[in-house]
Amino acid sequence: YQPGHHFAYSISQGMFFILGALGWMTVLLGAILIINTITALMTQQTRQIGIMKATGGGVLQLLGMYVVLILCFGLAALLISVPLANKAAKSIGDGMAAYLNFYPATYSGYPSTLMEEAIVSLAVPLLAAMRPLYNSVRITVREALNDYGIGGDARPNDKAVSRSALWIPRPMRLSLRNAFRRKARLALTLFTLGLAGAIFISVYNLWASFDKVIHDIEGYFLADINVSFGHSCRLDKVSAMAESVPGVKSVEGWLEYPGTLIRDEDQAGTQIVFVAPPSNSTLIDPIITAGRWLQPGDENAVVIGNHLLNMFPDLKVGDWLTITFDDKETKWHIVGMYTITGNVNPPLLYANYEYLSRLIGQPGQVYSLRVITSQHDALTQKRVNDQMQALFAERGVQVSNMQLSADFIESQTSQTNIFVYFMLVMAGLIAIVGGLGLMGTMSINVLERTREIGVMRAIGASNWDIQSIVIVEGMVIGLISWVVSILLSIPITAVLTTGVGLAILTAPMPAVYGLTGVLVGLLGILCIGTVASALPAHRASSLTVRDTLEYLAAFRKNWNADIEADLLKRCQ
């Protein structure tokens, strides 16, 4: 707890940081999408640019015209996004406030947010489009006249392709060759789809990391029902009462006792809590990072955790601790170190019940019971818990708290799932941006291969032949990006687990690299590749021989006629 801050301040700040990082990644992918879109637009308008330059249009004039066009689109996007963002922020903010139990101030937007929206809507598209715009408007009239696709650059007898893939059908080989024709464009598309897939896989890995953390925490609370009395009770009495309830399989008595760790005589001590299970306990499975766990017969042995190490990082196995309780100074030997993720305050030190109970003068007394039921399902735990609580109340035994293992797991997973769902939504948006980028790339490729499509039409290619070539090309790009996304997900997962763990759980989470995210990513890539290639494939199959070959011939003839007429007018 931090004075002046809500109890969930650090958690919410960590979540906002991660969501903000994903948001700016979406902006980056959006910039790549703009590059592909502008490239497609300029490829489609090469004829118009050539005509305008032939009639006296300058580079700056043409560049300014397209800059104004981009700024107009950006301004329209800004006018749409601001009210939508404000509405979404208010709805999500009110929902989070209700979940975290506080009343938010009236939301009216923030200047800093408006500035960021303006940058994203106006500056980012302009910066992303400048290079393809400049490369297109500086083209010469001669280059514009001779630019009607990439047929001249095609290498149908490519030896590398033909020798290494004789067993691949010819349409498939054509798709593979087309995919690698424009390497710079392919690299941008692979980066877009690869980063989108990597984030999606990393979010699934983060989900698996949360599950592992919860499973590790369960190792310290293996009982089905934890009964805390808040005061000392006779073990034989309360254990007999608990065992008399139908459905109770076994019972263990534990001891919790506070103390003060003295590290410097001139400074105030540090509050700690002893947790003392029986030396033969089967209801704890700690994660030991150094040394060993407690053994029967250990008397002044103690196992310390990562939270105490965060306060005193110089502690190590073999050191001795001075701990006082009940105005008594005792010495403890560190035999091991454990780790547990989460906020634990004060730090917990584990010792044997038999020794600690004698040391504090309460042998045979316990402060809590750990109960195992015959059936471990939630219904059995609930039934046994209600009967046990009624029995303790009837016998006059005061109980401060009773917690079910099923309720503990549900509460933990429900909180982490909310965080993961937020990130999955962001990952889904990024995946959509990646799909749009692939669609733009495929559209450009179809535009550039207009003459090739006409030739294939002339020699008898059907609609399905044309569509399959385009769709397979998109699938090839998608599969390559899937491999790239797997590699990129490794460092992204490490960053997410470390950052989220420190923000929410005060310690880095273990990175879990599962197959679920990889398989879901593969399925998503295949779906995105198919959908993103479907529209360009349909456009390609709708082109006829007359629409391609005759258009290209007329295209050059009319273009030359326009230029000759303009030159004749100038000479006169």
Side-chain angles (χ1 to χ4, degrees):
Y1 296 100
Q2 304 176 38
H5 288 88
H6 189 270
F7 69 88
Y9 174 79
S10 60
I11 297 176
S12 59
Q13 293 303 307
M15 183 176 70
F16 293 147
F17 172 78
I18 297 297
L19 293 179
L22 293 180
W24 283 108
M25 287 184 184
T26 308
V27 172
L28 174 62
L29 298 184
I32 298 176
L33 176 61
I34 291 172
I35 293 175
N36 287 340
T37 303
I38 293 299
T39 302
L41 176 67
M42 304 309 290
T43 301
Q44 201 170 19
Q45 296 187 3
T46 301
R47 178 187 180 187
Q48 289 87 335
I49 294 174
I51 293 176
M52 287 186 288
K53 295 199 72 172
T55 57
V59 172
L60 294 180
Q61 286 179 307
L62 297 177
L63 186 63
M65 180 181 66
Y66 285 105
V67 166
V68 171
L69 176 65
I70 292 173
L71 291 178
C72 289
F73 275 108
L75 182 61
L78 179 62
L79 295 177
I80 295 173
S81 65
V82 169
L84 288 179
N86 289 340
K87 184 174 180 57
K90 186 178 186 306
S91 300
I92 296 175
D94 290 344
M96 292 185 64
Y99 183 78
L100 296 175
N101 194 28
F102 69 90
Y103 294 97
T106 302
Y107 181 79
S108 57
Y110 298 98
S112 59
T113 306
L114 184 59
M115 290 180 60
E116 290 185 4
E117 289 174 326
I119 292 173
V120 171
S121 300
L122 300 175
V124 172
L126 190 59
L127 292 175
M130 284 306 296
R131 182 175 179 84
L133 281 180
Y134 181 71
N135 289 337
S136 297
V137 299
R138 63 191 293 267
I139 190 173
T140 64
V141 177
R142 181 180 177 278
E143 290 172 338
L145 282 172
N146 293 328
D147 184 25
Y148 49 89
I150 58 175
D153 296 333
R155 294 181 175 86
N157 297 321
D158 193 300
K159 296 181 179 180
V161 174
S162 59
R163 289 180 180 177
S164 62
L166 291 176
W167 55 275
I168 302 177
R170 186 175 297 275
M172 182 76 71
R173 275 183 278 169
L174 186 59
S175 298
L176 294 174
R177 187 193 66 190
N178 291 336
F180 292 93
R181 262 175 166 168
R182 298 295 193 186
K183 295 180 175 58
R185 186 185 305 154
L186 176 64
L188 286 176
T189 306
L190 290 178
F191 176 78
T192 305
L193 280 176
L195 185 57
I199 294 173
F200 203 82
I201 294 174
S202 299
V203 172
Y204 267 89
N205 291 341
L206 180 66
W207 204 342
S209 297
F210 274 127
D211 290 339
K212 186 178 187 308
V213 166
I214 294 174
H215 177 73
D216 292 342
I217 294 176
E218 289 178 23
Y220 296 86
F221 307 95
L222 293 178
D224 293 314
I225 304 174
N226 296 321
V227 183
S228 298
F229 300 108
H231 56 87
S232 62
C233 296
R234 287 177 52 188
L235 175 60
D236 55 353
K237 176 183 176 181
V238 293
S239 62
M241 294 170 57
E243 290 173 345
S244 66
V245 176
V248 174
K249 182 178 180 180
S250 62
V251 175
E252 284 187 7
W254 287 38
L255 186 67
E256 294 86 20
Y257 207 78
T260 303
L261 172 63
I262 305 299
R263 294 286 292 169
D264 190 338
E265 296 292 343
D266 298 331
Q267 296 181 359
T270 301
Q271 296 298 311
I272 58 93
V273 172
F274 278 106
V275 179
S279 58
N280 58 352
S281 174
T282 59
L283 300 183
I284 185 169
D285 183 20
I287 300 175
I288 300 298
T289 57
R292 61 174 177 84
W293 183 244
L294 299 168
Q295 297 177 355
D298 285 341
E299 293 195 341
N300 57 350
V302 67
V303 179
I304 66 174
N306 54 300
H307 297 89
L308 187 64
L309 286 175
N310 291 337
M311 299 179 180
F312 306 103
D314 58 325
L315 291 177
K316 59 185 181 297
V317 175
D319 289 349
W320 287 84
L321 300 178
T322 301
I323 300 176
T324 62
F325 48 78
D326 299 334
D327 297 328
K328 182 192 302 183
E329 183 177 292
T330 59
K331 297 291 185 179
W332 296 85
H333 183 223
I334 300 177
V335 297
M337 298 179 179
Y338 72 91
T339 182
I340 181 172
T341 307
N343 299 296
V344 179
N345 189 26
L348 304 180
L349 279 64
Y350 284 88
N352 275 340
Y353 165 79
E354 293 82 1
Y355 176 72
L356 183 62
S357 62
R358 295 197 309 269
L359 192 64
I360 64 176
Q362 298 181 13
Q365 302 286 319
V366 295
Y367 279 64
S368 64
L369 285 181
R370 307 293 172 99
V371 180
I372 295 294
T373 58
S374 57
Q375 300 294 328
H376 306 294
D377 58 281
L379 291 177
T380 301
Q381 293 179 16
K382 176 65 174 173
R383 177 179 57 82
V384 172
N385 178 78
D386 293 342
Q387 295 180 5
M388 194 182 306
Q389 190 173 16
L391 180 60
F392 284 143
E394 180 184 344
R395 300 289 180 86
V397 178
Q398 184 179 359
V399 177
S400 63
N401 182 50
M402 298 183 72
Q403 184 180 51
L404 306 183
S405 174
D407 292 344
F408 171 78
I409 296 173
E410 182 181 358
S411 64
Q412 296 297 316
T413 54
S414 64
Q415 295 178 39
T416 57
N417 285 347
I418 290 177
F419 187 84
V420 173
Y421 292 154
F422 265 103
M423 299 190 68
L424 281 177
V425 170
M426 295 296 297
L429 293 176
I430 293 176
I432 292 174
V433 174
L436 293 175
L438 177 60
M439 183 181 294
T441 298
M442 299 307 300
S443 298
I444 300 172
N445 292 346
V446 169
L447 282 174
E448 291 180 335
R449 291 203 299 272
T450 301
R451 189 177 70 170
E452 283 188 3
I453 295 172
V455 172
M456 288 188 288
R457 280 292 200 183
I459 61 177
S462 64
N463 288 346
W464 171 245
D465 293 331
I466 302 297
Q467 290 178 2
S468 62
I469 291 174
V470 178
I471 292 177
V472 169
E473 181 182 348
M475 300 290 285
V476 169
I477 296 176
L479 289 175
I480 297 175
S481 67
W482 175 65
V483 176
V484 174
S485 67
I486 296 176
L487 299 177
L488 291 177
S489 68
I490 297 175
I492 294 178
T493 298
V495 172
L496 285 179
T497 52
T498 301
V500 173
L502 290 174
I504 297 179
L505 304 173
T506 71
M509 293 192 300
V512 177
Y513 301 94
L515 288 177
T516 303
V518 175
L519 296 178
V520 173
L522 175 60
L523 180 62
I525 285 292
L526 293 178
C527 294
I528 289 175
T530 303
V531 173
S533 304
L535 182 59
H538 175 72
R539 290 176 178 172
S541 64
S542 64
L543 293 173
T544 64
V545 178
R546 183 174 181 277
D547 293 334
T548 55
L549 301 180
E550 291 186 2
Y551 168 75
L552 291 170
F555 175 69
R556 295 192 63 186
K557 180 179 179 181
N558 294 335
W559 209 347
N560 289 333
D562 291 337
I563 295 174
E564 290 176 1
D566 179 72
L567 292 176
L568 180 61
K569 182 178 180 181
R570 288 174 180 244
C571 291
Q572 292 175 348

